[in-house]
Amino acid sequence: MAPDSQANTEHGTPELDVLLLGSVDGRHLLRTLAQAALWSPRKFHFYVLENNLEAVARHMLFFSLALEDPEKMGLQERSEVFLEVWGNALLRPSVAAFVRAQAERLARLVPEPDRLAEQLPWLSLGSLKFRERDALEAVFRFWAGGEKGPETFPMSRLWDMRLRHYLGSRYDARRGVSDWDLHMKLHDRGARVIHTREFRRWRDTGVAFELRDSSAYQLPNRTLASGRLLSHRGERVAARGYWGDIATGPFVAFGIETDDESLLRTSNGQPVKTAGEITQHNVTELFRAMAAWGHPSAAPRDPDEVPGEINGVQEPAASSPGSFTVHFLPLGSTQTLHHRSCYKGRFQLLYVACGMVHLLSPELGVCVAPGGRLIVELARYLVDVRQEQLQGFRDRVGELARAAGFAPQPGTGPSESFARFYKCEDSAPIDAAADSGILHAETRAPPPELLVPPPEATNSLSEDLAQPLQGQIPLSEPLQLPSESQASLEALAPPTGSQTPKPESLPGPSEIMTSSIS
């Protein structure tokens, strides 16, 4: 099937509509756009649905960074800033200053739709509720340092408290636990390039990518903060803290596969390059490829040549691979999308992160076009999930997909990272996307920030783990954990007769829609 036959067309230009549940931080979309030059020009419409506004804010921050004017920030600087903000708990002063400046800018733009459309034409917040936009502005205000001082968000203390809670009596032997998780779990599941030293450093301090001297990383990364409703003395209390990943790490997102085979060489059975070095290479190449999209808010150089507009969005230059828009949907709207006729049968691809699989339902399946594809992330890199539980998770995903009107995608080999299906109602599967490379990938990525606190944390409020939220910031309900398993696993895994151990991360693939390194 021709690549363009999968997409809607308007005025001869193919359109691709994608719905993503739990993609968290924009890297999936960036990887897709970085590969868009390989295909004929098209219009991309990404509809993103998260379960908290901090994730929406991180999407916006990373896209703003990726599309920053090259004259203001060079390729290496953008790559390094991305890695530190994306994967480190602590930042250098220069990077923290960049985050504050961008947060101040975005906080001013969010409540002003006209200015937002002018400066960020790729972004659409029109579907968010007014109170959600107000809360989003509050998130950016917090990032910008409206509440001054590191003590407002003491990241090092929060990280240590999470680690103590996670390890319990094993805390004093945390280095041995770290080595065991790395060598007996992550390495056995395919992430052998992660070096012991970098994994230990991340487990101990939260700093995954040490691009400068270690003493330079002192300031808290406020973008990793999130709010939760906790129970304190019988009352529900809004609290801000770090509920992120402390078990798997961000290395598997960009650091275990690459197009440059020389980076994967081994010597005496050991990888020559670390996951951090491979990550830096891959992210640099990603941002280099994003240059094809130009600077969306830049004015045309020739005053006599005024680019056209597509739905109010500035049309890219002729050499551009197309146009794209990122639409953010209201929190918790998964089960109501099918009530709106504009979403019925609209999407050619539905991606569901493993932490959101419990939301896969027949109502959601109605939103996928006949022949459209479903990609579900599996729990491969959750270090606290046993092998038999991984198989139970996969089986349950298959059951939910069939109930939603999907069938296994033919012609795709077995994958430990993703399960692929197609909408079998009244049509045949779509193979063009896999052929063109738009929707195919085998890399995995645990998001470092969208994590559910263990059940003990949701039952009691600790001043060491959370800071009271200031202002009127509506909080989304955290995923409920009746047992010690992660929300998605609790919802999907079959009964085993005993509680599953609590995984501390909800992974998301490093790129669900590209084949740049697969």
Side-chain angles (χ1 to χ4, degrees):
M1 185 180 295
D4 290 346
S5 63
Q6 62 167 330
N8 299 325
T9 58
E10 180 181 344
H11 307 300
T13 303
E15 292 189 355
L16 183 67
D17 294 303
V18 182
L19 175 61
L20 302 100
L21 272 61
S23 58
V24 177
D25 55 22
R27 65 182 178 273
H28 316 73
L29 312 186
L30 293 174
R31 293 300 298 267
T32 300
L33 296 173
Q35 293 296 305
L38 301 177
W39 321 307
S40 58
R42 67 190 62 215
K43 302 173 186 176
F44 295 90
H45 296 282
F46 300 109
Y47 292 80
V48 180
L49 201 159
E50 303 289 354
N51 65 3
N52 67 76
L53 291 169
E54 289 83 3
V56 174
R58 280 173 66 87
H59 275 282
M60 295 172 60
L61 176 64
F62 292 137
F63 261 91
S64 298
L65 175 61
L67 299 172
E68 183 65 81
D69 189 342
E71 296 181 359
K72 296 181 180 179
M73 181 178 285
L75 176 62
Q76 179 178 348
E77 184 180 3
R78 275 183 290 148
S79 302
E80 292 180 351
V81 169
F82 174 85
L83 284 178
E84 293 190 23
V85 178
W86 174 67
N88 285 358
L90 300 174
L91 303 177
R92 291 180 289 135
S94 60
V95 177
F98 170 82
V99 172
R100 287 195 299 271
Q102 288 294 313
E104 289 175 356
R105 175 188 176 223
L106 293 171
R108 290 193 301 267
L109 292 178
V110 167
E112 300 187 28
D114 293 339
R115 289 185 60 199
L116 183 68
E118 177 185 352
Q119 297 191 30
L120 303 178
W122 48 268
L123 175 66
S124 174
L125 300 179
S127 297
L128 293 181
K129 300 174 183 177
F130 287 109
R131 62 185 178 89
E132 290 174 334
R133 295 185 213 179
D134 292 341
L136 186 61
E137 180 187 356
V139 170
F140 287 125
R141 295 291 180 194
F142 172 72
W143 291 3
E147 302 169 30
K148 301 292 185 181
E151 65 279 359
T152 304
F153 185 62
M155 187 65 194
S156 295
R157 182 160 59 93
L158 294 173
W159 183 275
D160 185 67
M161 292 298 296
R162 283 292 313 282
L163 196 61
R164 288 176 182 272
H165 184 275
Y166 172 64
L167 295 177
S169 61
R170 301 179 298 165
Y171 179 80
D172 290 337
R174 55 189 177 279
R175 288 211 164 186
V177 176
S178 171
D179 292 346
W180 176 270
D181 287 345
L182 176 62
H183 293 281
M184 304 305 293
K185 296 177 181 179
L186 291 176
H187 282 186
D188 284 353
R189 297 180 188 182
R192 299 190 61 84
V193 295
I194 302 178
H195 195 275
T196 302
R197 184 176 61 253
E198 62 186 351
F199 190 73
R200 278 182 183 175
R201 181 185 65 233
W202 174 79
R203 272 280 182 98
D204 288 342
T205 66
V207 176
F209 307 108
E210 198 171 85
L211 308 177
R212 297 291 187 274
D213 185 82
S214 59
S215 62
Y217 296 91
Q218 299 291 336
L219 300 179
N221 184 356
R222 292 192 175 205
T223 71
L224 297 182
S226 59
R228 287 291 184 266
L229 289 176
L230 306 182
S231 177
H232 179 55
R233 297 177 181 177
E235 297 182 0
R236 302 287 279 176
V237 180
R240 178 184 287 120
Y242 174 70
W243 315 111
D245 176 25
I246 55 170
T248 299
F251 305 104
V252 295
F254 295 105
I256 59 178
E257 295 182 355
T258 179
D259 286 334
D260 188 348
E261 294 295 330
S262 66
L263 298 177
L264 300 176
R265 290 187 298 109
T266 59
S267 177
N268 297 323
Q270 297 298 318
V272 174
K273 298 294 184 180
T274 66
E277 292 171 322
I278 296 174
T279 296
Q280 189 170 5
H281 167 82
N282 286 338
V283 169
T284 301
E285 294 305 309
L286 169 67
F287 278 62
R288 191 192 310 276
M290 283 296 295
W293 292 94
H295 187 51
S297 61
R301 295 182 179 180
D302 185 351
D304 295 329
E305 292 184 19
V306 180
E309 290 190 350
I310 303 174
N311 295 330
V313 176
Q314 183 177 327
E315 185 177 16
S319 59
S320 174
S323 65
F324 73 94
T325 307
V326 181
H327 307 262
F328 290 105
L329 300 177
L331 305 182
S333 61
T334 312
Q335 302 303 319
T336 60
L337 289 180
H338 67 285
H339 292 311
R340 301 187 61 180
S341 58
C342 62
Y343 292 130
K344 288 185 177 179
R346 176 170 191 142
F347 303 106
Q348 289 82 47
L349 170 71
L350 168 62
Y351 163 72
V352 183
C354 82
M356 305 280 269
V357 175
H358 57 288
L359 299 177
L360 182 58
S361 64
E363 291 79 13
L364 191 61
V366 170
C367 299
V368 180
R373 295 182 63 185
L374 166 66
I375 299 178
V376 180
E377 178 209 0
L378 302 178
R380 179 178 185 179
Y381 288 99
L382 291 178
V383 298
D384 292 313
V385 179
R386 297 188 297 270
Q387 196 63 40
E388 61 270 18
Q389 293 172 322
L390 294 178
Q391 184 57 48
F393 185 91
R394 174 189 288 273
D395 294 341
R396 183 60 176 147
V397 165
E399 294 176 8
L400 291 176
R402 286 191 293 273
F406 295 88
Q409 178 77 25
T412 58
S415 169
E416 297 181 36
S417 303
F418 301 100
R420 293 181 171 84
F421 306 88
Y422 74 95
K423 185 70 176 296
C424 51
E425 182 180 354
D426 301 328
S427 67
I430 295 175
D431 294 324
D435 295 337
S436 65
I438 298 177
L439 310 176
H440 175 75
E442 285 296 335
T443 343
R444 326 85 182 141
E449 72 295 322
L450 184 55
L451 281 297
V452 179
E456 295 85 355
T458 61
N459 293 331
S460 62
L461 178 62
S462 169
E463 291 299 331
D464 291 322
L465 283 174
Q467 301 295 323
L469 282 177
Q470 303 297 326
Q472 298 178 353
I473 304 179
L475 296 173
S476 58
E477 288 287 341
L479 299 177
Q480 299 301 314
L481 299 180
S483 70
E484 289 192 347
S485 63
Q486 194 173 342
S488 59
L489 295 182
E490 184 276 333
L492 296 176
T496 59
S498 62
Q499 290 184 339
T500 58
K502 56 174 185 290
E504 286 286 301
S505 64
L506 301 178
S510 78
E511 73 286 327
I512 60 164
M513 294 174 290
T514 76
S515 58
S516 59
I517 60 174
S518 55

